[in-house]
Amino acid sequence: MTAATTTTPPTAPPRLALRHRLAERGVDRTLLLVLPGALALIALFCYPFLYGLQLSFQPTAGGVFGAYRSFFSDPFSRKSIWATFSLAIPASVINVGVSIPISYRMRRDFRGKRIMLAVLVVPITLGTVLTAEGILEFFGPAGWFNRTLHLLGLAASPMKLTMNYTGVLLSLIISGFPFAYLLTHSYLSGIHPSLEKAAATLGAGWWQRFRYVTLPLLLPGLLTTFSLTFVMAFAVFPSALMVGDPDGRTHVISIEAYEAALERFDYAQGCADAMIMTVLMLAVIGALAAARSRMYRGATGGKG
Amino acid sequence: MSTPTESLPEPAGPAGPPGLAEPGPAGSGLPAPGLAADRPRHLALRPGTWLTWAVLAFFLLNLAGVIASVLLNSFGSRWFDSWLPGGWTSHWYTDAWKEFSLGHVLGVTLEVTLLVVAISLALGVPAAYALARRDFPGKKALNLLFILPILVPPIAYGIPLATMLYKVHLAGTLTGVILANLVPSIPFVVFTMTPFIEQIDPRIEAAARVCGARTHTVLGRILGPLLLPGMLAAGILVLVRTFGMFELTFLTSGPSSQTLVVTLFSAVNSAGIRSTQSIDAMAVVYTGSMAVLLLIALRFVNPTQLVARSAD
C-alpha cells in the first residue's frame, strides 16, 4: 500500500503531477488507513460530545444557559468542584511525590528487584470494589489497622478513616500509586546515571545533583505522570460512592453528573455537568502541558 | 543519600540512543539496545534510603492488610469483633455464583472484552501505521482526535454517549456496551502500536516492493509477522483495561449486559440485602481473573517499556 503510487504506471501526466505533489506532502493512499479508526472516534466520541453540548443548552427550564446557571447557583453542586480538586490534587501530589524516591532507589540493580516490581504492580489488578471493601474492613473501626493502633496504645478510640474524605484518598493512593510509580520509574530510567556521576566528580552533593541534574531532566516526564494520575483521580466515581461520603465532602463532580443524568433523568443537566467537568479537566491538562513545553527538551538522555 | 561520595552504578557500556525525541505518554523512541546493569549491587543503607524503604514497607503492609481482610472475609463464616473470622467456609463462593448468576456475567464479560479487543485492533493498527509512517497536513488535529478520549474522564463523555445510545435504543444492549468501550480502546491501541511500528525500518517494506511483492504479500509476510508482538501487547492491554472498565459499561449497560465489574458495584450499592462475604467472594474472583490476565500480559509486555523504551 505504501508504494502503490510508485508501482502504478502513469496514465495521465497532470493527474500524476497532482498525486506527486500530494505525496510529497505526505498525502497518499496509506492515509486511508487512518479513516476507519478516525471515523469510529468521530461517531462515538466527537458526535456524542457535540450532541451532549447542544443538549446542555436545551434544559427544560431556565433558557439557553439554564442548566449551567442551575449548576453554579446551587451551592451543593458548586461545591462538588471543590470536592473533586481537594481529592485529586493531594492524591496525585502524593502518588507522584512518593514514587520519585522509590523509583530513584529502584534504579539500581539489587536482589529481588523483579519481585519488588511485581509487588508494586499488583494493586492494578485489585479493582475498585475489592479496594473499597478492603479499605472498609481493614481501616474500619473494628479493622486490623485500628486494632493495631489500639494494641500499641497509639489511639484510645478508633480513628474514623472510612466513609469520609480519608477513605477516598486512601483508595486513590492504592489504585493510583502503582500507576504513577511505573511511569516515573520508566522516565527516570531513561536518564543516564553517568550524568549524575559527572556532577559528583565535580563535587556536587546529592541534593545539588538531584536539583540541578536529575530533576530538570525528569520534570517533563513527571508532569506527564502528574497529568495522567490527575485524570484518574479527577474522574473518581465508584470509590467516592463506596468508601466516601457521597452526600458530603466527597460529593465529587462525577457523582453530581451521574445523579443528574441517570437518577433524575435530566439529560440536559447531566450533559451540562459533563461539559463543566471536561472543561475543568482540559484546563488543568492544558496548564500542565503549557508548563511542560517551557521545559528543557534535549538529547542528553532526558526523556522529554 | 547523605554523603557526596554515594556511588552510582557504573554505566555498563554506551548508552542507548539518548535522543528519544517525541514527548508524550506513549513515547516513540527506538528501543535502545539493552543496557544491562550487569553487576547487582547490595543496597546501600543510608538514612534517606531507610526512610524510603520504610514508607514503601508501610504502604505494602497496609496494602497486604487490605487484600487479606477481603480474602479472609470471603472465607470466614462470621467475623465481627476479633482478629480472625470465627470459622472457615467456602460457601460464599457458591452463594455468589448462584446469587449473581456469575456464569452469565462472566460470559458477557468475555464476549464484550474479546469483541472490543478484536475491533479496536482492526481499527487501531492501520491508523497507527499511517500515523507512524506519514507526515501530512492535519496530522496534529488527527493526533488530538486520538488523544482526547484518553484525557477526558470516561464519565464526562460517557454521559452524552449514553444519552445518545438511549436515543438510538442501543443503551442496555451488548452492542451499546461494546461501542462505548471502543472509545478509549482505539486510541490506546494507536498509542501502544506507534512505537512498535516506528521501530520497523521502512526500507524492509521498500525492499520487498523492489523484489516485486504485492501489497497483500507485504502485509502478510513482512509487516504482519513484524507487527504481531506489538498487536499481542496492545490486545492484551486492551483486554485488561476493558475487563476492568467500570464507568463506560456502568453507564451504557442494561440488566443483561453487565460485566463483572458493574455487577460487583451494583451488588455493593444495593447492599443490605446481600452479605458482604459473598460480595467479597465475587471481588476475589474478579481480582483473581484480573491478576491472571495481568500476569499473562506481563509475560509479553514490559510495563516500563510502554512509556519510554529505554535502557533499563
Side-chain angles (χ1 to χ4, degrees):
Chain A
M1 255 176 232
T2 324
T5 45
T6 53
T7 48
T8 10
T11 44
R15 197 161 161 253
L16 180 87
L18 177 66
R19 258 196 182 182
H20 265 219
R21 269 185 288 137
L22 282 177
E24 250 164 42
R25 300 195 61 192
V27 180
D28 60 15
R29 282 182 7 202
T30 309
L31 278 195
L32 291 178
L33 292 174
V34 180
L35 275 185
L39 286 180
L41 281 185
I42 289 171
L44 293 171
F45 180 75
C46 299
Y47 175 71
F49 209 84
L50 294 175
Y51 173 78
L53 189 66
Q54 60 97 15
L55 198 64
S56 73
F57 291 121
Q58 298 170 353
T60 43
V64 179
F65 294 105
Y68 294 92
R69 208 176 299 135
S70 78
F71 178 87
F72 285 106
S73 59
D74 179 6
F76 185 59
S77 28
R78 201 173 48 217
K79 260 203 248 156
S80 69
I81 296 181
W82 163 244
T84 313
F85 278 101
S86 69
L87 272 171
I89 292 177
S92 3
V93 167
I94 293 173
N95 285 341
V96 176
V98 174
S99 49
I100 300 173
I102 293 178
S103 31
Y104 212 79
R105 298 292 137 194
M106 293 283 282
R107 190 153 69 143
R108 305 142 180 246
D109 251 12
F110 54 87
R111 215 168 289 144
K113 184 175 163 179
R114 281 188 71 88
I115 297 172
M116 198 71 181
L117 260 172
V119 166
L120 284 168
V121 176
V122 160
I124 291 178
T125 64
L126 291 184
T128 35
V129 173
L130 190 128
T131 315
E133 289 283 306
I135 285 176
L136 288 180
E137 283 154 25
F138 180 77
F139 291 104
W144 284 341
F145 190 79
N146 272 316
R147 281 178 172 278
T148 313
L149 284 189
H150 189 72
L151 198 73
L152 297 176
L154 291 172
S157 58
M159 282 166 78
K160 192 163 162 43
L161 297 168
T162 54
M163 303 318 284
N164 59 8
Y165 176 84
T166 325
V168 183
L169 193 65
L170 285 172
S171 101
L172 284 179
I173 290 174
I174 290 180
S175 59
F177 173 72
F179 182 74
Y181 166 74
L182 275 182
L183 286 167
T184 312
H185 178 82
S186 52
Y187 281 117
L188 192 67
S189 60
I191 298 173
H192 204 271
S194 64
L195 291 172
E196 277 198 45
K197 204 167 159 44
T201 315
L202 297 173
W206 72 268
W207 171 247
Q208 278 175 310
R209 291 200 308 261
F210 179 73
R211 171 71 188 79
Y212 295 105
V213 180
T214 313
L215 190 64
L217 290 172
L218 186 62
L219 214 48
L222 277 188
L223 278 183
T224 306
T225 313
F226 187 86
S227 313
L228 292 173
T229 323
F230 187 84
V231 172
M232 279 174 64
F234 187 86
V236 53
F237 174 69
S239 55
L241 278 174
M242 286 185 286
V243 285
D245 165 24
D247 294 326
R249 217 175 143 207
T250 70
H251 183 75
V252 291
I253 191 161
S254 46
I255 295 184
E256 176 73 26
Y258 165 73
E259 283 178 351
L262 294 163
E263 281 183 4
R264 300 198 296 269
F265 295 103
D266 185 350
Y267 292 120
Q269 185 67 53
C271 287
D273 295 353
M275 296 301 143
I276 295 169
M277 194 173 163
T278 312
V279 168
L280 289 175
M281 182 76 243
L282 291 182
V284 173
I285 297 291
L288 287 172
R292 193 174 177 281
S293 69
R294 295 169 63 91
M295 280 167 195
Y296 173 75
R297 248 197 270 170
T300 28
K303 288 253 158 58
Chain B
M1 211 151 154
S2 52
T3 56
T5 49
E6 182 191 23
S7 59
L8 288 156
E10 296 274 339
L20 297 169
E22 277 287 311
S28 56
L30 302 178
L35 174 77
D38 35 16
R39 261 166 293 158
R41 298 176 69 94
H42 291 282
L43 285 173
L45 293 180
R46 294 172 217 284
T49 316
W50 274 110
L51 189 70
T52 311
W53 291 120
V55 168
L56 188 60
F58 183 71
F59 174 75
L60 291 179
L61 198 68
N62 284 309
L63 186 68
V66 165
I67 301 173
S69 308
V70 175
L71 204 58
L72 288 185
N73 198 26
S74 74
F75 283 110
S77 54
R78 77 208 128 67
W79 189 7
F80 294 116
D81 204 25
S82 53
W83 284 93
L84 286 174
W88 306 99
T89 168
S90 64
H91 79 85
W92 301 114
Y93 284 85
T94 44
D95 279 10
W97 189 271
K98 273 184 250 149
E99 199 178 338
F100 303 108
S101 50
L102 274 191
H104 174 74
V105 171
L106 283 175
V108 169
T109 313
L110 202 68
E111 202 174 338
V112 168
T113 38
L114 290 182
L115 278 170
V116 167
V117 168
I119 300 174
S120 57
L121 278 180
L123 297 180
V125 174
Y129 180 79
L131 284 174
R133 281 284 192 259
R134 290 286 180 277
D135 202 8
F136 50 89
K139 189 176 175 182
K140 279 202 164 146
L142 215 52
N143 266 329
L144 191 68
L145 173 68
F146 281 109
I147 207 164
L148 270 181
I150 295 183
L151 286 184
V152 176
I155 287 258
Y157 62 82
I159 288 176
L161 181 64
T163 315
M164 194 195 81
L165 289 175
Y166 272 110
K167 214 178 114 195
V168 295
H169 305 293
L170 278 175
T173 66
L174 215 56
T175 321
V177 173
I178 292 169
L179 286 178
N181 275 297
L182 281 178
V183 177
S185 305
I186 296 174
F188 193 74
V189 169
V190 170
F191 285 106
T192 320
M193 284 304 290
T194 307
F196 280 98
I197 295 172
E198 277 173 347
Q199 79 188 45
I200 298 173
D201 195 334
R203 281 176 299 184
I204 298 176
E205 292 154 56
R209 293 276 181 193
V210 168
C211 296
R214 292 178 173 279
T215 302
H216 63 89
T217 321
V218 173
L219 276 182
R221 303 184 64 173
I222 313 284
L223 278 179
L226 284 174
L227 284 182
L228 208 59
M231 283 165 67
L232 203 63
I236 290 172
L237 290 172
V238 169
L239 188 86
V240 172
R241 269 175 70 102
T242 312
F243 191 82
M245 171 50 82
F246 170 75
E247 284 95 340
L248 289 172
T249 314
F250 178 64
L251 289 172
T252 51
S253 64
S256 64
S257 54
Q258 286 186 348
T259 57
L260 188 52
V261 215
V262 178
T263 312
L264 253 175
F265 177 79
S266 312
V268 177
N269 242 19
S270 57
I273 37 170
R274 321 246 188 238
S275 53
T276 52
Q277 285 99 327
S278 46
I279 292 173
D280 283 359
M282 194 156 58
V284 171
V285 170
Y286 168 82
T287 303
S289 13
M290 192 75 168
V292 169
L293 286 181
L294 200 78
L295 279 182
I296 296 172
L298 286 179
R299 280 200 65 81
F300 294 100
V301 209
N302 177 358
T304 57
Q305 273 190 350
L306 282 179
V307 197
R309 328 195 90 233
S310 67
D312 184 23

